[in-house]
Amino acid sequence: MIDNITSRTERKKKETKQKIVSVAMGLYRAQGIKATTMEQIAEEVDISRKTLYNYFPNKEAIAAEYMKKYVQVHFQDLLQLLNDLPDTCSRLVAVTSTGEEWSRIDVPEDVIVAYREYRLQTFIQSFKDQSLRSGLSDVYRYIIKLGQKSGELRSDIDEKELANYLKMIVTVSFLSNPENYESQEIITKNIDYFLNGARNMSKS
């Protein structure tokens, strides 16, 4: 009996969370994330502001939850794409380009900007709190594991540690040059930093 009550409660929480995200994204698309308030979201979902804040601390966190689910929905398709590519470099290029393409399909630009700002604010926390992670780290880890399995990448370092290193490179790149963050030149440079570091390739 208690288990049934707990199950119903958890299901209700999940449904409420999904409704919050769905309603909020509808408002973001219709009027922009800046013009949307937490009070308006709560009213549209038909819950109190206190209840809304129990689920999400701010509008940006709702956008982050949507983006995380977006990655999860496309995760298997992405893994298949990565398996068909020949090496780590091409896989990293593909996952960056594909992520950018998916974002453009369904997510307004101002929401993407707000999402990135939120991810930067919670960057350090995300190493300890899995709920703050976007899901992209799992994709990085998969790519690295493929590279280690083929012998292309060194296997004496855990793939999680290497994925965190890659995430830090990408984050620092965004902080230093946010306007050109998604340019092919910057993407290529970040991948080169990760794969080759500061090594002088002309001396190899």
Side-chain angles (χ1 to χ4, degrees):
M1 181 67 176
I2 294 177
D3 288 342
N4 289 337
I5 294 174
T6 302
S7 178
R8 285 199 300 271
T9 301
E10 291 303 316
R11 185 170 66 251
K12 178 64 176 176
K13 286 182 178 179
K14 184 177 180 180
E15 290 172 353
T16 300
K17 188 174 186 178
Q18 290 174 341
K19 186 175 181 180
I20 291 170
V21 174
S22 177
V23 168
M25 288 302 299
L27 291 170
Y28 297 165
R29 292 188 184 98
Q31 61 190 32
I33 191 169
K34 288 185 177 180
T36 303
T37 65
M38 291 290 277
E39 290 78 4
Q40 186 179 11
I41 295 170
E43 183 177 346
E44 291 290 329
V45 179
D46 195 24
I47 57 176
S48 68
R49 285 190 301 170
K50 181 179 179 180
T51 299
L52 176 58
Y53 280 106
N54 284 337
Y55 284 91
F56 297 102
N58 51 48
K59 298 180 293 183
E60 294 75 18
I62 300 175
E65 178 67 18
Y66 178 84
M67 297 294 281
K68 181 168 68 174
K69 295 299 182 184
Y70 206 75
V71 171
Q72 291 174 353
V73 166
H74 293 282
F75 189 71
Q76 292 303 321
D77 291 338
L78 182 55
L79 295 191
Q80 184 58 54
L81 169 66
L82 297 176
N83 285 330
D84 293 338
L85 294 172
D87 54 35
T88 301
C89 182
S90 60
R91 290 173 189 134
L92 288 174
V93 170
V95 75
T96 305
S97 302
T98 303
E100 180 182 345
E101 179 183 339
W102 286 340
S103 295
R104 292 290 179 267
I105 291 173
D106 197 37
V107 184
E109 182 64 29
D110 63 333
V111 175
I112 295 175
V113 171
Y115 161 73
R116 286 181 180 151
E117 290 176 351
Y118 178 76
R119 292 285 298 138
L120 288 173
Q121 292 168 7
T122 59
F123 179 69
I124 301 299
Q125 293 173 261
S126 69
F127 285 95
K128 294 183 178 180
D129 187 349
Q130 291 191 0
S131 68
L132 295 173
R133 297 177 185 176
S134 66
L136 193 56
S137 291
D138 292 332
V139 179
Y140 287 158
R141 289 177 66 178
Y142 185 78
I143 293 173
I144 290 165
K145 190 175 290 187
L146 288 177
Q148 290 175 327
K149 186 177 180 180
S150 68
E152 185 184 2
L153 299 179
R154 54 189 294 184
S155 58
D156 60 320
I157 303 177
D158 183 74
E159 75 268 8
K160 181 179 179 180
E161 186 176 342
L162 286 174
N164 286 338
Y165 173 58
L166 175 57
K167 188 164 68 171
M168 290 180 70
I169 290 175
V170 172
T171 301
V172 170
S173 174
F174 174 73
L175 286 171
S176 61
N177 194 0
E179 293 183 359
N180 297 316
Y181 169 71
E182 291 179 334
S183 72
Q184 195 60 48
E185 179 183 356
I186 297 297
I187 290 172
T188 301
K189 185 169 69 173
N190 288 337
I191 293 171
D192 181 61
Y193 284 164
F194 173 69
L195 294 177
N196 299 307
R199 183 159 55 108
N200 187 345
M201 300 303 292
S202 64
K203 298 291 185 180
S204 302

